[in-house]
Amino acid sequence: EVQLVQSGAEVKKPGESLKISCKGSGYSFTSYWIGWVRQMPGKGLEWMGIIYPGDSDTRYSPSFQGQVTISADKSISTAYLQWSSLKASDTAMYYCARLKGNIAGGWFDPWGQGTLVTVSS
Amino acid sequence: QSVLTQPPSVSAAPGQKVTISCSGSSSNIGNNYVSWYQQLPGTAPKLLIYENNKRPSGIPDRFSGSKSGTSATLGITGLQTGDEADYYCGTWDSSLSAPVFGGGTKLTVL
């Protein structure tokens, strides 16, 4: 079974750093792009960026460029999303998802279960 | 403001049919495949439709997708209370060089 399992919920203070993870299993992790999607409370889906674990080629949405860093460790089939200095406005659910098909015109399947990040003083 | 426009909400009675629209432009829907996702309350999104009208295995044929020009439509027949969820369309935007999503549509089965 193809599966993406994300790390658990986090509660952080403004200014703290954070790295959340997304572990893939049941498929060739290095052969598919992994994307990250933000969902703020009560809001829709926003694409943040995407990484190809095979060669670590990474693309960012302009809205998130410079705000987060996406990386991957193919030796343990895990992708990461990290912040160096969290803000209250980073409070959201974060999903990873595998991209099938071409990067332009592909679709996300499956999705991880989500990681809730709460940033509060 | 989402690049793709969906109605905020739709509703219908159990057993009835509903359609959800997704409107875009030539830089996205007009020249790229559309996918649809279902997000049940408190859960992660799940793929319903890919490449405009294809269903992954396990998705019942009550769900269908279509595309015409710069718009796409998700259809759901034989509505069940378990279909109550948020539905999102998605595609690639060639101008942004990025995947884009619609704002989501909340389906209520009355």
Side-chain angles (χ1 to χ4, degrees), chain B residues 11-65:
Chain B
S11 62
Q16 296 301 301
K17 174 183 177 178
V18 72
T19 59
I20 297 173
S21 61
C22 176
S23 177
S25 68
S26 58
S27 68
N28 42 67
I29 291 178
N31 285 285
N32 293 292
Y33 286 123
V34 176
S35 52
W36 288 91
Y37 304 89
Q38 176 192 60
Q39 187 175 31
L40 295 169
T43 69
K46 172 185 164 184
L47 178 70
L48 277 184
I49 298 288
Y50 66 100
E51 289 186 341
N52 302 334
N53 55 17
K54 297 177 182 176
R55 280 176 290 105
S57 60
I59 301 300
D61 59 7
R62 300 189 299 107
F63 295 90
S64 64

Side-chain angles (χ1 to χ4, degrees), chain A residues 98-118:
Chain A
R98 183 184 71 165
L99 184 75
K100 288 201 72 178
N102 296 323
I103 187 170
W107 58 94
F108 290 106
D109 180 55
W111 294 62
Q113 84 277 19
T115 295
L116 180 62
V117 174
T118 303

